[in-house]
Short mmCIF file of all heavy atoms in Angstrom, two decimals:
data_model
loop_
_atom_site.label_atom_id
_atom_site.label_comp_id
_atom_site.label_asym_id
_atom_site.label_seq_id
_atom_site.Cartn_x
_atom_site.Cartn_y
_atom_site.Cartn_z
N MET O 291 -17.76 7.05 20.71
CA MET O 291 -18.95 6.29 20.35
C MET O 291 -18.83 5.79 18.92
O MET O 291 -18.75 6.57 17.97
CB MET O 291 -20.18 7.20 20.50
CG MET O 291 -21.49 6.48 20.28
SD MET O 291 -22.85 7.62 20.61
CE MET O 291 -23.57 7.79 18.97
N ALA O 292 -18.78 4.49 18.78
CA ALA O 292 -18.61 3.92 17.44
C ALA O 292 -19.94 3.36 16.95
O ALA O 292 -20.28 2.22 17.19
CB ALA O 292 -17.55 2.82 17.47
N ASP O 293 -20.72 4.20 16.32
CA ASP O 293 -21.99 3.70 15.77
C ASP O 293 -21.88 3.56 14.26
O ASP O 293 -20.84 3.77 13.67
CB ASP O 293 -23.15 4.61 16.18
CG ASP O 293 -22.99 6.02 15.63
OD1 ASP O 293 -22.14 6.22 14.74
OD2 ASP O 293 -23.71 6.90 16.11
N THR O 294 -22.99 3.20 13.64
CA THR O 294 -22.96 2.93 12.21
C THR O 294 -22.54 4.15 11.40
O THR O 294 -21.89 4.04 10.37
CB THR O 294 -24.35 2.45 11.74
OG1 THR O 294 -24.72 1.33 12.52
CG2 THR O 294 -24.33 2.06 10.29
N ASN O 295 -22.88 5.36 11.89
CA ASN O 295 -22.51 6.57 11.16
C ASN O 295 -21.00 6.76 11.10
O ASN O 295 -20.47 7.24 10.11
CB ASN O 295 -23.17 7.79 11.78
CG ASN O 295 -24.65 7.85 11.49
OD1 ASN O 295 -25.10 7.28 10.50
ND2 ASN O 295 -25.39 8.52 12.33
N ASP O 296 -20.32 6.40 12.21
CA ASP O 296 -18.86 6.49 12.20
C ASP O 296 -18.28 5.53 11.16
O ASP O 296 -17.35 5.88 10.43
CB ASP O 296 -18.30 6.14 13.58
CG ASP O 296 -18.60 7.22 14.60
OD1 ASP O 296 -18.70 8.38 14.20
OD2 ASP O 296 -18.74 6.89 15.78
N TYR O 297 -18.83 4.34 11.11
CA TYR O 297 -18.35 3.37 10.13
C TYR O 297 -18.63 3.88 8.72
O TYR O 297 -17.80 3.74 7.82
CB TYR O 297 -19.02 2.01 10.34
CG TYR O 297 -18.71 1.37 11.68
CD1 TYR O 297 -19.70 0.75 12.42
CD2 TYR O 297 -17.41 1.39 12.18
CE1 TYR O 297 -19.40 0.17 13.64
CE2 TYR O 297 -17.10 0.81 13.40
CZ TYR O 297 -18.12 0.19 14.13
OH TYR O 297 -17.83 -0.38 15.34
N ALA O 298 -19.79 4.49 8.52
CA ALA O 298 -20.14 5.00 7.20
C ALA O 298 -19.17 6.10 6.77
O ALA O 298 -18.78 6.17 5.60
CB ALA O 298 -21.58 5.52 7.19
N ALA O 299 -18.77 6.97 7.72
CA ALA O 299 -17.83 8.04 7.39
C ALA O 299 -16.48 7.46 6.99
O ALA O 299 -15.86 7.91 6.01
CB ALA O 299 -17.68 8.97 8.58
N THR O 300 -16.03 6.45 7.75
CA THR O 300 -14.77 5.79 7.41
C THR O 300 -14.88 5.11 6.06
O THR O 300 -13.99 5.21 5.21
CB THR O 300 -14.42 4.74 8.49
OG1 THR O 300 -14.43 5.36 9.77
CG2 THR O 300 -13.06 4.13 8.23
N PHE O 301 -15.99 4.44 5.86
CA PHE O 301 -16.24 3.73 4.60
C PHE O 301 -16.15 4.69 3.42
O PHE O 301 -15.50 4.40 2.41
CB PHE O 301 -17.62 3.08 4.67
CG PHE O 301 -17.94 2.19 3.50
CD1 PHE O 301 -17.63 0.83 3.53
CD2 PHE O 301 -18.58 2.69 2.38
CE1 PHE O 301 -17.94 0.01 2.46
CE2 PHE O 301 -18.89 1.87 1.31
CZ PHE O 301 -18.57 0.53 1.34
N ASP O 302 -16.78 5.86 3.56
CA ASP O 302 -16.77 6.86 2.49
C ASP O 302 -15.36 7.34 2.17
O ASP O 302 -15.02 7.60 1.02
CB ASP O 302 -17.62 8.07 2.88
CG ASP O 302 -19.09 7.86 2.57
OD1 ASP O 302 -19.40 6.86 1.88
OD2 ASP O 302 -19.91 8.68 3.01
N LEU O 303 -14.54 7.47 3.23
CA LEU O 303 -13.15 7.90 3.02
C LEU O 303 -12.39 6.88 2.18
O LEU O 303 -11.61 7.23 1.31
CB LEU O 303 -12.45 8.07 4.38
CG LEU O 303 -12.77 9.34 5.16
CD1 LEU O 303 -12.04 9.30 6.50
CD2 LEU O 303 -12.34 10.57 4.38
N VAL O 304 -12.62 5.61 2.50
CA VAL O 304 -11.88 4.55 1.81
C VAL O 304 -12.41 4.37 0.38
O VAL O 304 -11.66 4.11 -0.55
CB VAL O 304 -12.00 3.21 2.59
CG1 VAL O 304 -11.21 2.12 1.89
CG2 VAL O 304 -11.52 3.39 4.02
N ASP O 305 -13.73 4.55 0.23
CA ASP O 305 -14.38 4.37 -1.08
C ASP O 305 -14.11 5.60 -1.95
O ASP O 305 -14.94 6.48 -2.08
CB ASP O 305 -15.88 4.15 -0.87
CG ASP O 305 -16.61 3.99 -2.19
OD1 ASP O 305 -15.97 3.61 -3.18
OD2 ASP O 305 -17.82 4.25 -2.20
N SER O 306 -12.95 5.63 -2.57
CA SER O 306 -12.53 6.86 -3.26
C SER O 306 -13.30 7.11 -4.55
O SER O 306 -13.37 8.24 -5.01
CB SER O 306 -11.02 6.84 -3.51
OG SER O 306 -10.61 5.63 -4.09
N ASP O 307 -13.88 6.08 -5.17
CA ASP O 307 -14.64 6.32 -6.40
C ASP O 307 -16.16 6.38 -6.16
O ASP O 307 -16.94 6.46 -7.10
CB ASP O 307 -14.30 5.30 -7.49
CG ASP O 307 -14.71 3.88 -7.12
OD1 ASP O 307 -15.27 3.67 -6.01
OD2 ASP O 307 -14.48 2.97 -7.94
N ASP O 308 -16.54 6.33 -4.87
CA ASP O 308 -17.95 6.53 -4.49
C ASP O 308 -18.93 5.57 -5.13
O ASP O 308 -20.07 5.93 -5.42
CB ASP O 308 -18.40 7.97 -4.81
CG ASP O 308 -17.77 8.97 -3.84
OD1 ASP O 308 -17.52 8.60 -2.68
OD2 ASP O 308 -17.54 10.12 -4.26
N ASP O 309 -18.50 4.33 -5.35
CA ASP O 309 -19.45 3.35 -5.90
C ASP O 309 -20.10 2.52 -4.80
O ASP O 309 -20.80 1.56 -5.07
CB ASP O 309 -18.78 2.46 -6.96
CG ASP O 309 -17.72 1.53 -6.36
OD1 ASP O 309 -17.39 1.68 -5.16
OD2 ASP O 309 -17.25 0.64 -7.08
N GLN O 310 -19.89 2.94 -3.54
CA GLN O 310 -20.47 2.26 -2.37
C GLN O 310 -19.93 0.86 -2.16
O GLN O 310 -20.55 0.04 -1.47
CB GLN O 310 -22.01 2.22 -2.46
CG GLN O 310 -22.65 3.59 -2.65
CD GLN O 310 -22.24 4.59 -1.56
OE1 GLN O 310 -22.37 4.30 -0.39
NE2 GLN O 310 -21.72 5.74 -1.96
N ARG O 311 -18.77 0.60 -2.74
CA ARG O 311 -18.10 -0.68 -2.52
C ARG O 311 -16.61 -0.39 -2.35
O ARG O 311 -16.06 0.44 -3.06
CB ARG O 311 -18.26 -1.62 -3.72
CG ARG O 311 -19.70 -2.04 -4.02
CD ARG O 311 -20.22 -3.04 -2.98
NE ARG O 311 -21.54 -3.52 -3.31
CZ ARG O 311 -22.67 -2.87 -3.03
NH1 ARG O 311 -22.62 -1.70 -2.44
NH2 ARG O 311 -23.83 -3.41 -3.34
N ILE O 312 -15.98 -1.09 -1.42
CA ILE O 312 -14.53 -0.98 -1.28
C ILE O 312 -13.89 -2.13 -2.05
O ILE O 312 -14.18 -3.30 -1.78
CB ILE O 312 -14.10 -1.03 0.20
CG1 ILE O 312 -14.62 0.22 0.93
CG2 ILE O 312 -12.58 -1.12 0.32
CD1 ILE O 312 -14.37 0.19 2.43
N SER O 313 -13.06 -1.78 -3.01
CA SER O 313 -12.36 -2.79 -3.80
C SER O 313 -10.99 -3.06 -3.19
O SER O 313 -10.50 -2.31 -2.33
CB SER O 313 -12.19 -2.29 -5.24
OG SER O 313 -11.36 -1.14 -5.26
N ALA O 314 -10.36 -4.13 -3.65
CA ALA O 314 -9.01 -4.45 -3.19
C ALA O 314 -8.06 -3.30 -3.50
O ALA O 314 -7.18 -2.97 -2.71
CB ALA O 314 -8.52 -5.75 -3.84
N GLY O 315 -8.25 -2.65 -4.65
CA GLY O 315 -7.40 -1.53 -5.04
C GLY O 315 -7.54 -0.35 -4.08
O GLY O 315 -6.56 0.30 -3.73
N GLU O 316 -8.77 -0.09 -3.65
CA GLU O 316 -9.00 1.00 -2.71
C GLU O 316 -8.39 0.68 -1.34
O GLU O 316 -7.83 1.56 -0.68
CB GLU O 316 -10.50 1.29 -2.59
CG GLU O 316 -11.01 2.05 -3.81
CD GLU O 316 -12.52 2.10 -3.89
OE1 GLU O 316 -13.20 1.31 -3.21
OE2 GLU O 316 -13.00 2.93 -4.66
N LEU O 317 -8.51 -0.56 -0.91
CA LEU O 317 -7.91 -0.98 0.35
C LEU O 317 -6.39 -0.85 0.27
O LEU O 317 -5.74 -0.40 1.21
CB LEU O 317 -8.32 -2.42 0.66
CG LEU O 317 -7.92 -2.93 2.05
CD1 LEU O 317 -8.67 -2.19 3.13
CD2 LEU O 317 -8.19 -4.42 2.16
N HIS O 318 -5.85 -1.23 -0.88
CA HIS O 318 -4.41 -1.15 -1.10
C HIS O 318 -3.92 0.29 -0.95
O HIS O 318 -2.94 0.56 -0.27
CB HIS O 318 -4.12 -1.67 -2.52
CG HIS O 318 -2.66 -1.82 -2.81
ND1 HIS O 318 -2.02 -1.07 -3.78
CD2 HIS O 318 -1.71 -2.61 -2.26
CE1 HIS O 318 -0.73 -1.41 -3.80
NE2 HIS O 318 -0.52 -2.34 -2.90
N ARG O 319 -4.65 1.22 -1.57
CA ARG O 319 -4.27 2.64 -1.47
C ARG O 319 -4.40 3.13 -0.03
O ARG O 319 -3.58 3.90 0.46
CB ARG O 319 -5.16 3.50 -2.39
CG ARG O 319 -4.66 3.53 -3.83
CD ARG O 319 -5.31 4.65 -4.62
NE ARG O 319 -6.75 4.48 -4.73
CZ ARG O 319 -7.33 3.71 -5.63
NH1 ARG O 319 -6.60 3.02 -6.50
NH2 ARG O 319 -8.63 3.60 -5.69
N LEU O 320 -5.46 2.69 0.66
CA LEU O 320 -5.67 3.11 2.05
C LEU O 320 -4.48 2.73 2.92
O LEU O 320 -3.97 3.53 3.69
CB LEU O 320 -6.95 2.47 2.61
CG LEU O 320 -7.13 2.64 4.12
CD1 LEU O 320 -7.54 4.08 4.45
CD2 LEU O 320 -8.14 1.67 4.68
N MET O 321 -4.03 1.48 2.79
CA MET O 321 -2.93 1.02 3.63
C MET O 321 -1.66 1.79 3.33
O MET O 321 -0.85 2.05 4.22
CB MET O 321 -2.72 -0.49 3.42
CG MET O 321 -3.90 -1.34 3.89
SD MET O 321 -4.47 -0.93 5.56
CE MET O 321 -3.15 -1.68 6.54
N GLU O 322 -1.48 2.20 2.07
CA GLU O 322 -0.34 3.02 1.70
C GLU O 322 -0.42 4.37 2.41
O GLU O 322 0.55 4.86 2.97
CB GLU O 322 -0.34 3.23 0.18
CG GLU O 322 0.89 2.65 -0.49
CD GLU O 322 0.76 2.67 -2.00
OE1 GLU O 322 0.09 3.58 -2.54
OE2 GLU O 322 1.30 1.76 -2.62
N VAL O 323 -1.63 4.97 2.38
CA VAL O 323 -1.85 6.27 3.02
C VAL O 323 -1.62 6.16 4.52
O VAL O 323 -1.09 7.08 5.15
CB VAL O 323 -3.28 6.77 2.72
CG1 VAL O 323 -3.63 7.98 3.58
CG2 VAL O 323 -3.41 7.14 1.24
N LEU O 324 -2.03 5.05 5.11
CA LEU O 324 -1.89 4.85 6.54
C LEU O 324 -0.45 4.54 6.94
O LEU O 324 -0.13 4.44 8.12
CB LEU O 324 -2.80 3.70 7.01
CG LEU O 324 -4.30 3.97 6.97
CD1 LEU O 324 -5.07 2.74 7.44
CD2 LEU O 324 -4.67 5.18 7.81
N GLY O 325 0.41 4.36 5.95
CA GLY O 325 1.81 4.09 6.24
C GLY O 325 2.11 2.64 6.53
O GLY O 325 3.17 2.32 7.05
N SER O 326 1.13 1.75 6.23
CA SER O 326 1.36 0.32 6.41
C SER O 326 1.08 -0.39 5.09
O SER O 326 0.13 -1.16 5.00
CB SER O 326 0.43 -0.25 7.48
OG SER O 326 0.44 0.56 8.63
N PRO O 327 1.89 -0.11 4.06
CA PRO O 327 1.61 -0.68 2.74
C PRO O 327 1.58 -2.21 2.77
O PRO O 327 2.37 -2.84 3.48
CB PRO O 327 2.77 -0.16 1.88
CG PRO O 327 3.79 0.38 2.81
CD PRO O 327 3.09 0.71 4.09
N ILE O 328 0.63 -2.76 2.02
CA ILE O 328 0.54 -4.21 1.86
C ILE O 328 0.60 -4.51 0.36
O ILE O 328 0.39 -3.62 -0.46
CB ILE O 328 -0.78 -4.78 2.47
CG1 ILE O 328 -2.01 -4.10 1.86
CG2 ILE O 328 -0.77 -4.58 3.98
CD1 ILE O 328 -3.33 -4.67 2.36
N THR O 329 0.87 -5.75 0.02
CA THR O 329 0.93 -6.12 -1.39
C THR O 329 -0.49 -6.21 -1.95
O THR O 329 -1.47 -6.29 -1.20
CB THR O 329 1.63 -7.48 -1.57
OG1 THR O 329 0.80 -8.49 -0.97
CG2 THR O 329 3.00 -7.49 -0.93
N GLU O 330 -0.58 -6.22 -3.27
CA GLU O 330 -1.90 -6.35 -3.89
C GLU O 330 -2.55 -7.67 -3.52
O GLU O 330 -3.75 -7.76 -3.33
CB GLU O 330 -1.78 -6.23 -5.41
CG GLU O 330 -1.83 -4.78 -5.86
CD GLU O 330 -1.75 -4.63 -7.37
OE1 GLU O 330 -2.44 -5.39 -8.07
OE2 GLU O 330 -1.00 -3.75 -7.83
N GLU O 331 -1.70 -8.70 -3.41
CA GLU O 331 -2.20 -10.02 -3.03
C GLU O 331 -2.80 -9.97 -1.62
O GLU O 331 -3.87 -10.53 -1.37
CB GLU O 331 -1.05 -11.02 -3.07
CG GLU O 331 -1.44 -12.42 -3.44
CD GLU O 331 -0.21 -13.26 -3.73
OE1 GLU O 331 0.46 -13.66 -2.76
OE2 GLU O 331 0.08 -13.49 -4.93
N GLN O 332 -2.12 -9.28 -0.72
CA GLN O 332 -2.62 -9.17 0.66
C GLN O 332 -3.92 -8.38 0.71
O GLN O 332 -4.81 -8.70 1.50
CB GLN O 332 -1.57 -8.48 1.54
CG GLN O 332 -0.40 -9.38 1.92
CD GLN O 332 0.69 -8.62 2.67
OE1 GLN O 332 1.10 -7.54 2.25
NE2 GLN O 332 1.16 -9.18 3.76
N SER O 333 -4.04 -7.36 -0.14
CA SER O 333 -5.28 -6.59 -0.11
C SER O 333 -6.44 -7.41 -0.66
O SER O 333 -7.56 -7.33 -0.16
CB SER O 333 -5.12 -5.26 -0.86
OG SER O 333 -4.69 -5.45 -2.17
N VAL O 334 -6.18 -8.22 -1.67
CA VAL O 334 -7.23 -9.11 -2.20
C VAL O 334 -7.67 -10.10 -1.11
O VAL O 334 -8.86 -10.35 -0.92
CB VAL O 334 -6.73 -9.87 -3.45
CG1 VAL O 334 -7.70 -10.97 -3.84
CG2 VAL O 334 -6.54 -8.89 -4.61
N GLU O 335 -6.68 -10.63 -0.37
CA GLU O 335 -7.00 -11.57 0.70
C GLU O 335 -7.77 -10.90 1.83
O GLU O 335 -8.68 -11.49 2.40
CB GLU O 335 -5.71 -12.20 1.25
CG GLU O 335 -5.35 -13.48 0.53
CD GLU O 335 -4.00 -14.02 0.99
OE1 GLU O 335 -3.67 -13.86 2.18
OE2 GLU O 335 -3.30 -14.59 0.15
N ALA O 336 -7.40 -9.66 2.14
CA ALA O 336 -8.09 -8.92 3.20
C ALA O 336 -9.54 -8.69 2.81
O ALA O 336 -10.45 -8.84 3.62
CB ALA O 336 -7.38 -7.60 3.47
N VAL O 337 -9.76 -8.31 1.54
CA VAL O 337 -11.13 -8.10 1.07
C VAL O 337 -11.91 -9.40 1.16
O VAL O 337 -13.06 -9.43 1.60
CB VAL O 337 -11.14 -7.55 -0.37
CG1 VAL O 337 -12.54 -7.65 -0.98
CG2 VAL O 337 -10.66 -6.10 -0.40
N ARG O 338 -11.26 -10.49 0.78
CA ARG O 338 -11.92 -11.80 0.82
C ARG O 338 -12.36 -12.13 2.25
O ARG O 338 -13.41 -12.73 2.47
CB ARG O 338 -10.97 -12.87 0.29
CG ARG O 338 -11.67 -14.10 -0.22
CD ARG O 338 -10.68 -15.07 -0.85
NE ARG O 338 -10.17 -14.60 -2.12
CZ ARG O 338 -8.93 -14.84 -2.59
NH1 ARG O 338 -8.09 -15.55 -1.88
NH2 ARG O 338 -8.55 -14.37 -3.76
N GLY O 339 -11.54 -11.72 3.24
CA GLY O 339 -11.86 -12.00 4.64
C GLY O 339 -13.05 -11.19 5.15
O GLY O 339 -13.74 -11.62 6.06
N ILE O 340 -13.27 -10.01 4.56
CA ILE O 340 -14.35 -9.13 5.02
C ILE O 340 -15.61 -9.34 4.18
O ILE O 340 -16.73 -9.17 4.65
CB ILE O 340 -13.89 -7.65 4.94
CG1 ILE O 340 -12.65 -7.44 5.81
CG2 ILE O 340 -15.01 -6.70 5.36
CD1 ILE O 340 -11.98 -6.08 5.61
N ASP O 341 -15.41 -9.72 2.92
CA ASP O 341 -16.49 -9.90 1.97
C ASP O 341 -17.43 -11.04 2.39
O ASP O 341 -17.02 -12.18 2.46
CB ASP O 341 -15.87 -10.20 0.60
CG ASP O 341 -16.90 -10.34 -0.49
OD1 ASP O 341 -18.03 -9.89 -0.31
OD2 ASP O 341 -16.54 -10.91 -1.54
N GLY O 342 -18.67 -10.70 2.69
CA GLY O 342 -19.61 -11.71 3.17
C GLY O 342 -20.32 -12.46 2.06
O GLY O 342 -20.64 -13.64 2.19
N ASP O 343 -20.61 -11.78 0.93
CA ASP O 343 -21.41 -12.42 -0.12
C ASP O 343 -20.58 -12.90 -1.30
O ASP O 343 -21.12 -13.40 -2.28
CB ASP O 343 -22.54 -11.49 -0.59
CG ASP O 343 -22.02 -10.19 -1.19
OD1 ASP O 343 -20.79 -10.07 -1.37
OD2 ASP O 343 -22.84 -9.31 -1.49
N GLY O 344 -19.25 -12.75 -1.20
CA GLY O 344 -18.37 -13.32 -2.20
C GLY O 344 -18.33 -12.61 -3.54
O GLY O 344 -17.92 -13.19 -4.54
N ASP O 345 -18.75 -11.32 -3.58
CA ASP O 345 -18.68 -10.60 -4.85
C ASP O 345 -17.32 -9.91 -5.05
O ASP O 345 -17.11 -9.23 -6.05
CB ASP O 345 -19.84 -9.59 -4.99
CG ASP O 345 -19.77 -8.45 -3.98
OD1 ASP O 345 -18.87 -8.47 -3.10
OD2 ASP O 345 -20.61 -7.54 -4.08
N GLY O 346 -16.41 -10.10 -4.09
CA GLY O 346 -15.07 -9.55 -4.24
C GLY O 346 -14.97 -8.08 -3.87
O GLY O 346 -13.92 -7.46 -4.05
N LEU O 347 -16.05 -7.51 -3.37
CA LEU O 347 -16.08 -6.10 -2.96
C LEU O 347 -16.68 -6.01 -1.57
O LEU O 347 -17.49 -6.85 -1.17
CB LEU O 347 -16.92 -5.27 -3.94
CG LEU O 347 -16.41 -5.22 -5.38
CD1 LEU O 347 -17.48 -4.71 -6.32
CD2 LEU O 347 -15.16 -4.35 -5.49
N ILE O 348 -16.30 -4.96 -0.82
CA ILE O 348 -16.83 -4.79 0.53
C ILE O 348 -17.94 -3.74 0.51
O ILE O 348 -17.70 -2.58 0.16
CB ILE O 348 -15.71 -4.34 1.49
CG1 ILE O 348 -14.56 -5.35 1.48
CG2 ILE O 348 -16.28 -4.20 2.90
CD1 ILE O 348 -13.31 -4.82 2.17
N SER O 349 -19.15 -4.15 0.89
CA SER O 349 -20.26 -3.20 1.01
C SER O 349 -20.21 -2.56 2.40
O SER O 349 -19.49 -3.03 3.29
CB SER O 349 -21.59 -3.92 0.81
OG SER O 349 -21.80 -4.82 1.89
N LEU O 350 -21.01 -1.51 2.60
CA LEU O 350 -21.05 -0.87 3.92
C LEU O 350 -21.51 -1.86 4.99
O LEU O 350 -20.98 -1.87 6.10
CB LEU O 350 -21.97 0.36 3.88
CG LEU O 350 -22.14 1.08 5.23
CD1 LEU O 350 -20.79 1.54 5.79
CD2 LEU O 350 -23.07 2.28 5.07
N ALA O 351 -22.50 -2.69 4.66
CA ALA O 351 -23.00 -3.67 5.63
C ALA O 351 -21.89 -4.65 6.02
O ALA O 351 -21.74 -4.99 7.20
CB ALA O 351 -24.19 -4.43 5.04
N GLU O 352 -21.12 -5.09 5.05
CA GLU O 352 -20.03 -6.03 5.34
C GLU O 352 -18.94 -5.35 6.15
O GLU O 352 -18.37 -5.93 7.08
CB GLU O 352 -19.46 -6.58 4.02
CG GLU O 352 -20.40 -7.56 3.35
CD GLU O 352 -20.07 -7.81 1.90
OE1 GLU O 352 -19.21 -7.09 1.34
OE2 GLU O 352 -20.68 -8.70 1.30
N PHE O 353 -18.66 -4.09 5.79
CA PHE O 353 -17.65 -3.31 6.51
C PHE O 353 -18.06 -3.10 7.96
O PHE O 353 -17.27 -3.28 8.89
CB PHE O 353 -17.46 -1.97 5.79
CG PHE O 353 -16.41 -1.08 6.41
CD1 PHE O 353 -15.05 -1.35 6.24
CD2 PHE O 353 -16.78 0.03 7.14
CE1 PHE O 353 -14.09 -0.53 6.80
CE2 PHE O 353 -15.81 0.86 7.70
CZ PHE O 353 -14.47 0.59 7.53
N THR O 354 -19.34 -2.73 8.17
CA THR O 354 -19.85 -2.49 9.52
C THR O 354 -19.78 -3.75 10.35
O THR O 354 -19.35 -3.73 11.51
CB THR O 354 -21.29 -1.97 9.45
OG1 THR O 354 -21.32 -0.78 8.66
CG2 THR O 354 -21.83 -1.65 10.84
N ALA O 355 -20.19 -4.88 9.76
CA ALA O 355 -20.15 -6.15 10.48
C ALA O 355 -18.74 -6.51 10.88
O ALA O 355 -18.47 -6.97 11.99
CB ALA O 355 -20.76 -7.26 9.61
N TYR O 356 -17.80 -6.24 9.97
CA TYR O 356 -16.40 -6.55 10.26
C TYR O 356 -15.86 -5.67 11.38
O TYR O 356 -15.21 -6.15 12.31
CB TYR O 356 -15.55 -6.36 8.99
CG TYR O 356 -14.08 -6.52 9.23
CD1 TYR O 356 -13.53 -7.81 9.32
CD2 TYR O 356 -13.24 -5.43 9.39
CE1 TYR O 356 -12.17 -7.98 9.56
CE2 TYR O 356 -11.89 -5.59 9.64
CZ TYR O 356 -11.36 -6.86 9.72
OH TYR O 356 -10.03 -7.02 9.97
N MET O 357 -16.16 -4.36 11.32
CA MET O 357 -15.66 -3.44 12.33
C MET O 357 -16.25 -3.77 13.69
O MET O 357 -15.58 -3.67 14.72
CB MET O 357 -15.98 -1.99 11.95
CG MET O 357 -15.27 -1.52 10.70
SD MET O 357 -13.47 -1.61 10.82
CE MET O 357 -13.14 -0.05 11.68
N ARG O 358 -17.53 -4.14 13.72
CA ARG O 358 -18.17 -4.52 14.99
C ARG O 358 -17.49 -5.75 15.56
O ARG O 358 -17.20 -5.82 16.75
CB ARG O 358 -19.65 -4.81 14.75
CG ARG O 358 -20.45 -3.54 14.56
CD ARG O 358 -21.85 -3.67 15.15
NE ARG O 358 -22.55 -2.39 15.03
CZ ARG O 358 -23.56 -2.18 14.20
NH1 ARG O 358 -24.00 -3.15 13.45
NH2 ARG O 358 -24.13 -0.99 14.14
N ALA O 359 -17.24 -6.73 14.68
CA ALA O 359 -16.60 -7.97 15.13
C ALA O 359 -15.19 -7.70 15.64
O ALA O 359 -14.72 -8.33 16.57
CB ALA O 359 -16.57 -8.99 14.00
N ALA O 360 -14.54 -6.69 15.03
CA ALA O 360 -13.18 -6.33 15.44
C ALA O 360 -13.19 -5.54 16.75
O ALA O 360 -12.15 -5.31 17.35
CB ALA O 360 -12.49 -5.52 14.34
N GLY O 361 -14.38 -5.09 17.15
CA GLY O 361 -14.53 -4.43 18.43
C GLY O 361 -14.02 -3.00 18.47
O GLY O 361 -13.70 -2.47 19.52
N SER O 362 -13.96 -2.35 17.31
CA SER O 362 -13.49 -0.97 17.30
C SER O 362 -14.59 0.01 16.96
O SER O 362 -15.63 -0.39 16.48
CB SER O 362 -12.34 -0.79 16.31
OG SER O 362 -12.67 -1.32 15.07
CA1 CA A 186 -15.18 2.03 -4.49
CA1 CA A 187 -19.45 -8.24 -0.82
#
């Protein structure tokens, strides 16, 4: 069951500094941990793709919307 709480738990794991936003740097570290390292440029682009309001950071609402759209 993939509800908002599951997304929030995942979000918290990725948000290593607990500022309630996922930065490109945090995404970069996550992909390294997952064993699929990406370049800093790719992580900035990935954040840009998920970022709905253009502040360069991913909020929980933006993350949830993205995960729902991805169907996972
Ligand atoms: Ca953060
Ligand atoms: Ca944002």
Side-chain angles (χ1 to χ4, degrees):
M291 186 176 113
D293 62 14
T294 304
N295 287 335
D296 289 330
Y297 297 138
T300 306
F301 187 90
D302 276 350
L303 282 177
V304 181
D305 179 23
S306 49
D307 65 0
D308 288 329
D309 68 351
Q310 305 305 307
R311 297 287 185 277
I312 293 174
S313 64
E316 284 167 343
L317 188 66
H318 188 244
R319 277 195 297 277
L320 170 73
M321 295 311 285
E322 242 171 31
V323 169
L324 290 179
S326 313
I328 57 177
T329 66
E330 273 182 44
E331 211 168 77
Q332 284 173 313
S333 56
V334 169
E335 269 174 34
V337 166
R338 202 175 289 147
I340 301 170
D341 183 18
D343 61 7
D345 66 355
L347 298 164
I348 303 168
S349 67
L350 177 58
E352 287 163 351
F353 182 75
T354 303
Y356 175 80
M357 295 301 277
R358 285 215 176 109
S362 50

